[in-house]
Amino acid sequence: MRVRVLSAVVMAVALLVSAGCDDSTDPPKGSATYNGDPKSLSIVAGSEQQKVLDTVVAPWCKSKGYDCRFTLKGSVDQARLLAGGDTAYDAYWFASSVFSQIGDQAAVLQDVKPMFLTPIVYAGWQSQMRQLGFVDRSDVAVGDILSAVESGRTKVWVTNPTQSNSGATVLFGFLNHFAGNGPGQPLTQQQLDSDKVDAGITRFIRAMDATPPSSGTLMNDCVSRPDDCRTVFTYEDLVIEKNQELVKAGREPLYAVYPRGALAISDAPLGFLPHHNDADAAKRTAFGELQNYLLTDADAKAKLLALGRRPATSIGLTLANPDLSVFNPDWGIQANLKEQGIAYPSVAVIQSALNRYQTHYRKPADIYYCLDGSGSMNDNAGWAGVRDAAHQIFDADQAALNLLQTHPDDATTVTIFNSGIAAGPWTVAGDDPAKLHGLTESIVRHEAGGGTDMYGCLIRAAQALTGTATDRKRLVVVMSDGKSNTDNHDTAVAALTAAKVPVIAIAFGDDADPGQLKEVATATGGAFVQQNDLVTALRTAAGYK
């Protein structure tokens, strides 16, 4: 079977290449520093590989005496790092071969090989899937899922298609459905432009309840909030991983179906990045040993199968003598999957569709940023990070590179707080580039100083978003590097809860109080982010739009 997987990174890298060498389009910096020790291997990988790294790769490295270090990054960031010439890592482990091929326009990666295969599935709590009539069925079609979503019989989460491979494959699977295409027929620009496809995909995308920016975040948050998250689009292996944890904890498992006519497969290619120095030969030898171990060693293959990863060396997705405690039919897992994957469109059509997701298909959003401008933000370089992040999120060219464009009907508000409201609020209605850049300029001009009271800003946010249209997505992003004064705590939490506005709460630096931020996120059905790179943190938060 020829595996073809779509990635939202196509547009990101195409834009990066077309942007040339302008300083304003520098790729994100790596979180690692190159280690020239021949016995070390530094690997950057997607969040979906964490279990493999922890349980398969790390023990092997230890047994061989190699110092292996792992950094998890999203698909867009991996591609931009590679295309931008970042040299911090020895190896890149993409979610799919398309990520590798598009991110590696300069062909710098060597010895690239797929490590295992996993399809995208539609999964939900077993009781929910039974209520929907999807249990014990191998013929669940895209139309069946769409009907369940549109009827309001279930809540659905999917990763943001412009930030994650799993969400992007779902987007194109449903675009194919609305175009009337079979599995082997790619979407055309004419079909994408048609009223039928436009109306169908807009209706479907706006029925999604949450769009986390990564597959790992989606699965962790969904399992921790079963009342809010009833069904998801995700990787088969992540369903297996979570079910193993859920069953061990005595909880209800998830049940998976394979959308007929919308099947997509990832192949997890791992490639070596040479540095053309004295350490290359030894590092390449270690890298080759790792690849060989993952692909041919009986112990490694058994461990990967136990994690739900299908062998990359097999024909198609059929498994010989599958372990049914892993590829468990009671969870809807089909060990002998024979369906043909969808055919993906040209790069131009991919780019057009991803543009339209952010600027047309998704719900317009009212997003309110509460940014910590207290004096401590000067001491830890936090305010410099906020200024950098403002360029990445609000400036049109950078937002396009990050696939975080503003919708024409969005409303974006920024307030800076310290012990009170230090500056703002500044609001931009729509996507006018000059007005959005004005937000960046206002943030850059501000000088941090004073104490910390994030709750006062959250009250202002709740007041601003209360009573706004229910057909719009409402979101608050709060970032703080310290412990907040709590005088306004009760009022803020009550106001946000009453308004039903989720808060994405970012803890920056070692002095931030994660307890305060987690409480606000949990109480409002939002999300908590612990991150010392504010550009990454605020881009992650913006990905929830």
Side-chain angles (χ1 to χ4, degrees):
M1 177 184 293
R2 179 179 176 83
V3 178
R4 292 177 292 181
V5 184
L6 167 69
S7 167
V9 80
V10 172
M11 179 187 171
V13 176
L15 285 169
L16 178 65
V17 172
S18 68
C21 299
D22 185 278
D23 288 342
S24 66
T25 60
D26 284 346
K29 303 300 181 185
S31 58
T33 301
Y34 176 70
N35 185 344
D37 183 349
K39 298 286 286 184
S40 72
L41 276 179
S42 179
I43 301 173
V44 59
S47 62
E48 58 276 317
Q49 315 296 29
Q50 183 165 12
K51 201 81 168 184
V52 173
L53 294 170
D54 291 344
T55 63
V56 183
V57 179
W60 176 85
C61 291
K62 184 177 181 180
S63 71
K64 301 290 289 186
Y66 294 129
D67 178 18
C68 296
R69 303 186 182 189
F70 315 124
T71 300
L72 301 181
K73 286 191 175 291
S75 302
V76 172
D77 277 347
Q78 284 190 68
R80 291 188 65 191
L81 283 171
L82 188 59
D86 186 272
T87 59
Y89 305 101
D90 298 306
Y92 278 74
W93 203 342
F94 285 90
S96 78
S97 56
V98 172
F99 292 162
S100 177
Q101 293 164 9
I102 300 300
D104 191 20
Q105 293 291 314
V108 294
L109 288 183
Q110 298 178 4
D111 304 325
V112 181
K113 296 178 182 178
M115 294 293 102
F116 44 77
L117 309 177
T118 188
I120 296 285
V121 297
Y122 176 66
W125 300 103
Q126 195 169 57
S127 57
Q128 174 74 101
M129 297 295 273
R130 192 174 302 280
Q131 289 174 5
L132 296 175
F134 293 162
V135 172
D136 296 329
R137 285 181 55 186
S138 60
D139 62 343
V140 177
V142 167
D144 297 327
I145 299 171
L146 181 61
S147 176
V149 173
E150 291 184 322
S151 67
R153 289 184 290 146
T154 190
K155 295 180 179 180
V156 186
W157 289 17
V158 63
T159 56
N160 186 319
T162 66
Q163 302 299 304
S164 170
N165 172 62
S166 59
T169 57
V170 172
L171 174 67
F172 278 86
F174 278 87
L175 283 168
N176 263 14
H177 167 75
F178 290 117
N181 293 345
Q185 183 180 356
L187 184 76
T188 67
Q189 186 65 48
Q190 183 177 6
Q191 288 176 327
L192 187 67
D193 292 339
S194 70
D195 292 339
K196 179 179 71 171
V197 171
D198 182 86
I201 198 64
T202 300
R203 190 174 73 246
F204 174 72
I205 290 297
R206 295 188 181 191
M208 299 296 102
D209 288 277
T211 54
S214 74
S215 298
T217 299
L218 173 115
M219 294 302 291
N220 290 335
D221 288 356
C222 184
V223 168
S224 67
R225 294 166 53 191
D227 291 338
D228 296 325
C229 177
R230 301 302 298 161
T231 64
V232 297
F233 289 97
T234 189
Y235 294 108
E236 175 194 62
D237 53 23
L238 294 187
V239 171
I240 292 172
E241 281 183 16
K242 285 301 178 186
N243 275 354
Q244 291 168 335
E245 297 171 7
L246 290 165
V247 169
K248 186 176 181 180
R251 294 183 59 188
E252 179 184 12
L254 300 167
Y255 189 93
V257 298
Y258 303 79
R260 181 64 58 89
L263 185 68
I265 306 158
S266 68
D267 58 346
L270 177 62
F272 179 71
L273 179 64
H275 289 74
H276 308 292
N277 58 24
D278 293 341
D280 262 5
K283 285 177 176 283
R284 187 189 297 273
T285 297
F287 174 83
E289 290 174 359
L290 173 59
Q291 279 190 327
N292 188 60
Y293 170 70
L294 293 172
L295 291 172
T296 66
D297 185 88
D299 179 63
K301 290 197 289 186
K303 287 181 176 179
L304 290 172
L305 281 167
L307 293 175
R309 270 67 172 180
R310 298 174 186 249
T313 53
S314 64
I315 298 176
L317 296 173
T318 298
L319 298 174
N321 302 315
D323 182 349
L324 297 184
S325 69
V326 176
F327 295 89
N328 192 334
D330 291 339
W331 301 340
I333 305 299
Q334 298 180 30
N336 298 316
L337 193 60
K338 296 181 174 63
E339 184 174 350
Q340 179 183 355
I342 66 169
Y344 293 102
S346 67
V347 171
V349 176
I350 291 170
Q351 179 172 324
S352 181
L354 293 174
N355 266 326
R356 293 181 192 190
Y357 172 81
Q358 285 289 9
T359 62
H360 179 62
Y361 299 148
R362 68 170 174 85
K363 282 183 180 180
D366 293 323
I367 183 168
Y368 197 112
Y369 292 88
C370 284
L371 305 179
D372 188 343
S374 62
S376 59
M377 292 290 287
N378 285 323
D379 300 332
N380 55 21
W383 195 247
V386 171
R387 287 168 169 162
D388 289 343
H391 287 288
Q392 296 284 325
I393 298 169
F394 302 128
D395 289 356
D397 57 344
Q398 294 298 297
L401 283 174
N402 296 317
L403 299 171
L404 291 172
Q405 298 98 318
T406 299
H407 192 287
D409 295 326
D410 281 352
T412 308
T413 301
V414 174
T415 297
I416 300 171
F417 66 88
N418 48 25
S419 55
I421 300 301
W426 305 296
T427 299
V428 172
D431 62 348
D432 182 271
K435 293 179 180 178
L436 289 167
H437 180 65
L439 292 177
T440 301
E441 291 182 326
S442 295
I443 292 169
V444 169
R445 283 195 301 266
H446 183 76
E447 298 293 337
T452 305
D453 177 15
M454 72 173 181
Y455 296 109
C457 187
L458 290 174
I459 291 172
R460 295 285 291 271
Q463 291 170 343
L465 297 176
T466 297
T468 53
T470 56
D471 61 344
R472 300 171 64 83
K473 183 176 284 189
R474 298 178 300 164
L475 190 69
V476 173
V477 176
V478 60
M479 179 281 301
S480 180
D481 76 330
K483 187 176 180 66
S484 176
N485 179 301
T486 59
D487 289 347
N488 292 308
H489 167 276
D490 294 347
T491 303
V493 174
L496 289 165
T497 304
K500 298 182 178 179
V501 177
V503 175
I504 311 301
I506 301 168
F508 168 71
D510 296 333
D511 295 328
D513 188 330
Q516 289 182 329
L517 292 161
K518 283 181 180 178
E519 181 202 21
V520 172
T522 301
T524 61
F528 171 73
V529 179
Q530 180 87 49
Q531 177 60 258
N532 288 340
D533 180 343
L534 275 177
V535 174
T536 298
L538 287 168
R539 279 179 48 209
T540 297
Y544 281 87
K545 287 194 294 185

